Amino acid sequence: MFHWLEQRPFFFTVVLFIFVSFAGLIEAIPDFAKASQPTVGTKPYTVLELTGRQVYIKDSCNACHSQMIRPFKSETDRYGMYSLSGEYAYDRPFLWGSKRTGPDLMRIGNYRTTDWHENHMMDPSSIVPGSLMPKYPHMFKNIADVETAYAEAYTVKKVFGVPYDQEGMPKLGTFEEAKANALAQAKTIAADMKNQAVKDAVANGQIPEIVALIAYLNSLK
């Protein structure tokens, strides 16, 4: 058989391609599946954090900011530990990005505070001179859509088996329970903010978009 293949370059090439492809799949798929498992400490987003993630996408923050630190010294010196596949296990969709107008935000929760985000979102250039980032005052007035975030969390729990309501993982429960937990988390964030209108809104049981967004950004570590 091998002598026959050696005399026919085309068929030899086809058979070689098939064997190399099969061997490559056998080698790569198990390692890829293992690397994609959640890393230790990775948890699903809370409903408030997921609400903030939707605000982040809605206002196209991902158009200017990546969330993927590459394994280069210049990257790790600035942003911290390079990204691992398992850290994105619960991200739908992924927000890796391929262009940076602003800095990478993968681990921004490690070095920015609630107070910093509040001032930065209201007037970026007052915090970072020369910043091209626009102002987002509407986030301080718009009320976040917690219901849609809950629906997303409930869906990924049922369809993809995301481990909400398991030991050590975020609670989901009913919508009323999730809304109460989101409000409790929002009150913790609002306590560190200075904007009185935001504080009053949270005290009245409403969650402005800025609070949800800050919750999401604080979770990126």
Side-chain angles (χ1 to χ4, degrees), residues 13-30:
T13 302
V14 171
V15 172
L16 179 64
F17 175 78
I18 291 173
F19 274 88
V20 170
S21 298
F22 180 75
L25 289 174
I26 294 299
E27 179 69 24
I29 289 178

Side-chain angles (χ1 to χ4, degrees), residues 90-141:
Y90 303 122
D91 283 20
R92 294 179 175 84
F94 299 120
L95 298 176
W96 296 326
S98 59
K99 179 179 181 294
R100 291 178 184 162
T101 301
D104 187 274
L105 302 182
M106 176 65 183
R107 307 201 188 283
I108 194 170
N110 287 330
Y111 54 87
R112 296 301 186 202
T113 63
T114 293
D115 179 65
W116 189 93
H117 286 307
E118 176 185 9
N119 294 319
H120 185 244
M121 297 304 295
M122 180 61 79
D123 186 5
S125 61
S126 69
I127 304 300
V128 183
S131 174
L132 299 176
M133 181 172 160
K135 300 177 182 180
Y136 290 89
H138 62 275
M139 288 187 181
F140 292 76
K141 301 176 182 178

Side-chain angles (χ1 to χ4, degrees), residues 29-81:
I29 289 178
D31 287 342
F32 178 78
K34 182 178 180 180
S36 298
Q37 293 300 309
T39 55
V40 175
T42 299
K43 297 181 179 181
Y45 298 108
T46 66
V47 170
L48 183 62
E49 292 164 359
L50 196 57
T51 304
R53 192 171 195 266
Q54 292 178 349
V55 172
Y56 182 96
I57 295 171
K58 176 178 70 70
D59 281 16
S60 298
C61 299
N62 54 305
C64 294
H65 295 279
S66 61
Q67 287 187 29
M68 183 175 64
I69 304 170
R70 296 168 294 184
F72 304 128
K73 188 175 187 300
S74 59
E75 299 257 315
T76 56
D77 283 351
R78 182 177 183 184
Y79 300 120
M81 171 66 180

